[in-house]
Amino acid sequence: MTMNTLPLFYKKVVPVNQEQHRQLRIKAVDNYGFARQTNSVYIAAVEFSRACQHYPIVFAEDSAGAAFPLVLLGLQANQNLYVDSHGAWNAGYIPAYARRYPFILASPAADSDQFTVCIDEGYAGFTTAKQGQPLFDEAGEQAASLKQAVDFLKEYQSHVTLTQQFCQRLAEIRVLEPMQASVKMHSGEEFNLAGFTCVSREKLKALDAEQLAALLKAEQLELVYAHLLSLQNLELLMRRIAKDKDATS
């Protein structure tokens, strides 16, 4: 994120400061209620192989027209069918975007490669009481909890860069097209998916040998097939909607 934008979930992002946050402790993030009102989150390419088993993976465009991948968590606005009323994330894999919370890397500008470790001070799991894990030790150095979070953020950012390269390749070979999906429930209720793109199987088959070889060499062809396979999980979302309605009726 850039310093002047707030990403999904985050309310009050500030740089981690040794003096300001020396007494701060963090409770384990085992409640994902903060994600209850979102129907999609960013997914990195390295996550495709696991995410495709649980979620539909689609693509959207940012304000500059660049594609980026998402997992669908619901079919309506403010609908996350994977997080229950108690904040439990009910799936075999939780996207790293959610797992990194309440930590995040911020940069002064979108094209900057300089990042600052930040936290969301609005996270309810931060406390100055003797609960949870400290961010800093008695000497004022990073404690294990903060070191672990920083390492995770650095690894995550490297995968974001690789994901951007993958999406640039998809744009170059022009295989993305708007999704034409209308999901009809057994109850007759219908959902139209708009604003997303997916890889066209026809355009993929029309690629020449050189283009396919480049995808294969970059280990990106398997990402394409993981994405295509994941679209079968739209049926899973339908079942979750039906289950959710049964539980509340």
Side-chain angles (χ1 to χ4, degrees):
M1 61 162 278
T2 58
M3 292 294 189
N4 59 352
T5 61
L6 278 179
L8 194 63
F9 308 150
Y10 296 79
K11 298 177 181 179
K12 186 181 179 182
V13 176
V14 298
V16 174
N17 182 282
Q18 183 189 54
E19 295 302 320
Q20 183 180 350
H21 300 124
R22 187 160 182 169
Q23 303 302 319
L24 203 62
R25 289 172 173 262
I26 182 172
K27 298 177 183 178
V29 181
D30 55 5
N31 187 307
Y32 291 90
F34 60 84
R36 189 74 178 89
Q37 302 298 314
T38 182
N39 67 352
S40 62
V41 295
Y42 177 87
I43 196 83
V46 71
E47 301 177 83
F48 275 32
S49 62
R50 295 195 64 188
C52 73
Q53 301 174 49
H54 306 279
Y55 315 94
I57 301 173
V58 298
F59 296 87
E61 289 187 355
D62 62 19
S63 57
F68 61 93
L70 297 164
V71 287
L72 292 182
L73 306 174
L75 296 177
Q76 294 179 304
N78 304 321
Q79 179 189 65
N80 187 336
L81 297 166
Y82 294 85
V83 177
D84 64 24
S85 58
H86 301 291
W89 195 298
N90 298 309
Y93 180 76
I94 302 174
Y97 187 99
R99 285 187 283 118
R100 68 176 178 169
Y101 185 81
F103 297 93
I104 194 170
L105 291 180
S107 60
D111 57 352
S112 174
D113 58 358
Q114 300 298 314
F115 294 94
T116 300
V117 177
C118 298
I119 58 172
D120 181 5
E121 285 189 333
Y123 171 55
F126 282 130
T127 177
T128 54
K130 296 298 182 180
Q131 300 175 357
Q133 300 298 316
L135 295 186
F136 294 94
D137 61 23
E138 294 182 357
E141 301 297 325
Q142 290 184 1
S145 61
L146 182 54
K147 286 181 180 178
Q148 183 178 7
V150 171
D151 288 343
F152 184 87
L153 291 175
K154 289 180 178 178
E155 182 180 10
Y156 180 81
Q157 188 59 41
S158 69
H159 290 304
V160 168
T161 300
L162 293 174
T163 304
Q164 291 171 338
Q165 295 171 358
F166 168 57
C167 291
Q168 289 170 0
R169 177 68 59 83
L170 295 182
E172 290 169 1
I173 60 178
R174 300 182 179 181
V175 293
L176 290 175
E177 65 178 12
M179 286 186 69
Q180 302 292 331
S182 180
V183 181
K184 190 171 184 178
M185 301 288 293
H186 298 300
S187 63
E189 192 173 4
E190 195 167 337
F191 301 94
N192 293 312
L193 294 178
F196 301 113
T197 60
C198 63
V199 171
S200 164
R201 291 180 180 272
E202 294 305 315
K203 291 181 178 179
L204 184 64
K205 289 188 290 186
L207 295 179
D208 60 35
E210 184 178 351
Q211 291 170 317
L212 287 171
L215 283 172
L216 185 62
K217 185 176 181 179
E219 298 183 346
Q220 295 173 336
L221 190 57
E222 60 192 79
L223 298 176
V224 171
Y225 283 119
H227 151 63
L228 292 172
L229 179 65
S230 78
L231 297 179
Q232 298 179 32
N233 287 323
L234 287 171
E235 175 68 28
L236 175 60
L237 287 183
M238 291 170 58
R239 293 200 301 269
R240 284 181 176 261
I241 290 174
K243 182 178 180 180
D244 191 53
K245 287 182 178 296
D246 289 342
T248 56
S249 60

